[in-house]
Amino acid sequence: MNKRKIRLKDSSVDKKNSIKDTSPYVFQREKVAFEFPIKELPWTEKQKELIKLLLDKDTRCVFVEGPAGVSKTITAVYTALQLLKNKKISDIIFVRSAVESADSKIGYLPGTIDEKFEAYMAPFMEKLEELLDKASINRLRNDERFNATPVNYIRGLHWATKCVIVDECQNISFRELITTITRMGEFSKIIFCGDPMQSDLPENKAGGFSRICDIFADEDSKKFGIHHFEFTKEDIVRSEFVKFVVEKLENEKHTWKPKINK
């Protein structure tokens, strides 16, 4: 894996006057050296709005909140691939909580951490297959341009020139979300995707997604490139069936939407 060291401000070096450059260094991989086609999908206006926000050079972090079927994850993956192709980043990292989406647990999974987490990569791989041809997926994977990691193992990491997609954030605690966002280094973007209605956490444990969205949904956060983007049930594109189900559940007095302790 090739890495190089770059200055944030090369122009700060005045060779004539021998002024010492005090700008920080950033260690990063060489950018991808080959082309790969990305399929365009029939994006809705709301999805285009999110893509534009994510691709903006001043955007560092976006909390994407919305119900099932609004294309939160595939929009994030599409954006990450565009950044990778345009050499704005060097890697894509997919982060999830190792929480199963069922009341009955599957139990112990054999193998290494990577092998254990392979099942949790299924949504990410599904989106890659929708956006890339098989040859491009294999080439990017062989070049180690994307990988997945459980949120449990990210403490101490430093993400520079990467696009990080944190999926199913409703299953991540507030402390874990803080650990995740504070891994961010220079030239990176991070996208948090979540739906508070679909928490798989035990009833006595609240996720932290709604809370962290509220904290950063202000003008001061926008000045630092942090945004909160919200989809509603009107933005569901998966199917009319899912839109009907979500609407019924939102109207149901005893919905399973968790209460967040603030």
Side-chain angles (χ1 to χ4, degrees):
M1 183 183 296
N2 296 324
K3 290 190 176 183
R4 63 189 176 114
K5 186 162 64 175
I6 66 169
R7 292 186 186 278
L8 294 183
K9 299 178 181 178
D10 291 332
S11 60
S12 62
V13 181
D14 188 335
K15 295 181 180 179
K16 183 177 180 179
N17 297 316
S18 298
I19 298 175
K20 185 178 180 180
D21 184 3
T22 58
S23 61
Y25 287 99
V26 176
F27 287 89
Q28 62 173 287
R29 291 185 64 185
E30 294 289 344
K31 301 301 195 312
V32 65
F34 53 87
E35 292 293 320
F36 55 90
I38 304 173
K39 300 173 186 175
E40 286 294 337
L41 302 180
W43 306 109
T44 67
E45 291 304 312
K46 191 71 173 284
Q47 291 164 353
K48 289 178 182 178
E49 183 181 343
L50 175 58
I51 291 169
K52 182 179 180 180
L53 176 64
L54 292 172
L55 291 176
D56 190 296
K57 64 182 181 62
D58 294 322
T59 297
R60 300 295 308 282
C61 169
V62 180
F63 295 96
V64 184
E65 184 177 5
V70 296
S71 300
K72 298 183 294 293
T73 305
I74 196 168
T75 306
V77 173
Y78 170 83
T79 302
L81 289 172
Q82 289 289 353
L83 292 169
L84 184 65
K85 181 177 181 178
N86 294 323
K87 298 178 171 46
K88 302 298 183 182
I89 59 168
S90 57
D91 307 270
I92 300 172
I93 299 176
F94 189 65
V95 178
R96 282 189 66 177
S97 172
V99 174
E100 298 175 35
S101 57
D103 291 331
S104 300
K105 305 306 178 185
I106 196 171
Y108 173 77
L109 294 175
T112 64
I113 292 176
D114 288 341
E115 291 169 339
K116 292 175 188 290
F117 201 64
E118 189 71 22
Y120 296 93
M121 271 195 74
F124 179 57
M125 294 305 301
E126 180 184 73
K127 304 306 182 288
L128 286 179
E129 290 169 0
E130 193 168 345
L131 292 166
L132 300 175
D133 56 54
K134 189 173 182 179
S136 296
I137 293 174
N138 291 336
R139 193 169 186 185
L140 289 170
R141 191 163 199 171
N142 291 337
D143 202 33
E144 299 180 356
R145 292 296 171 175
F146 56 79
N147 62 78
T149 183
V151 71
N152 318 52
Y153 293 94
I154 65 171
R155 186 171 292 281
L157 296 181
H158 172 82
W159 293 325
T161 64
K162 303 182 187 302
C163 184
V164 183
I165 300 171
V166 190
D167 205 18
E168 304 296 345
C169 287
Q170 70 275 3
N171 292 331
I172 302 178
S173 71
F174 182 71
R175 286 186 298 176
E176 289 170 335
L177 289 168
I178 294 301
T179 299
T180 305
I181 197 172
T182 54
R183 302 305 94 206
M184 290 289 288
E186 295 293 340
F187 309 124
S188 287
K189 288 183 188 282
I190 188 165
I191 308 166
F192 293 88
C193 302
D195 173 11
M197 183 183 286
Q198 295 196 96
S199 175
D200 300 306
L201 295 171
E203 290 185 4
N204 61 347
K205 184 178 180 181
F209 185 58
S210 293
R211 180 181 176 186
I212 201 169
C213 285
D214 290 342
I215 290 174
F216 290 104
D218 61 4
E219 292 303 315
D220 285 341
S221 297
K222 289 181 181 180
K223 294 176 184 177
F224 284 87
I226 305 174
H227 301 266
H228 176 219
F229 191 96
E230 189 170 7
F231 287 103
T232 69
K233 62 179 181 294
E234 302 303 323
D235 301 308
I236 293 174
V237 294
R238 180 169 295 159
S239 66
E240 287 299 317
F241 174 84
V242 171
K243 183 180 289 188
F244 169 77
V245 169
V246 169
E247 186 170 343
K248 290 288 285 187
L249 290 170
E250 282 189 353
N251 294 333
E252 170 58 43
K253 184 180 297 185
H254 303 293
T255 181
W256 70 81
K257 186 173 182 179
K259 294 181 179 179
I260 306 300
N261 298 320
K262 298 187 178 182

